[in-house]
Amino acid sequence: MLVSLPLAYLLLMAAAATFVFSFAMAKWIPGRKARIVFPAVSAACCLGMVLVGQLQYQHWSSRHMLVLYSFAWFGITVGLFPSRKLMHQYAEEIGRGVKREKYDVPARYTVFAVISVIVMSFMAYALSQ
């Protein structure tokens, strides 16, 4: 269904997912590095997913992988939303030079992020068939 859209729309969808993720992470994690690192990592992940899709036995098309990337990136953005204050706090501490031995993250935050990405990936698969 979504794979039948023109490639420009799929690229726009991937760019929107990258923008939303990068904007959220720059807001939640203060510092100049976040504004540079997260868009670069997102673009590398998108290219990596397209390449991996081409190397698969099933040969997933770049359209399928762009849909999967967009939905997965929105999923990780939604999944990290509950832990935004904790990430902000830890990033500020690191910026001030405070080092902890262990940065505790409650299990519910991790479970929510993983479930969010899995659900969005299944939705991407269902909508791309």
Side-chain angles (χ1 to χ4, degrees), residues 21-42 91 94-97 99:
F21 177 76
S22 299
F23 180 77
M25 295 310 284
K27 184 83 171 162
W28 299 338
I29 299 176
R32 277 185 50 197
K33 291 181 185 177
R35 293 187 183 118
I36 297 168
V37 169
F38 288 114
V41 168
S42 297
I94 291 170
R96 288 191 313 251
K99 303 274 185 192

Side-chain angles (χ1 to χ4, degrees), residues 2-12 63:
L2 286 177
V3 178
S4 63
L5 289 173
L7 186 60
Y9 290 140
L10 296 176
L11 289 171
L12 187 62
R63 293 172 182 266

Side-chain angles (χ1 to χ4, degrees), residues 71-89:
F71 275 74
W73 238 235
F74 279 124
I76 193 66
T77 305
V78 169
L80 290 176
F81 185 76
S83 62
R84 69 191 183 283
K85 292 178 183 175
L86 189 62
M87 287 190 302
H88 188 79
Q89 175 189 351

Side-chain angles (χ1 to χ4, degrees), residues 107-126:
R108 66 182 181 272
Y109 292 160
T110 307
V111 169
F112 184 74
V114 169
I115 288 174
S116 176
V117 171
I118 289 172
V119 166
M120 291 299 281
S121 297
F122 278 126
M123 284 178 53
Y125 177 76

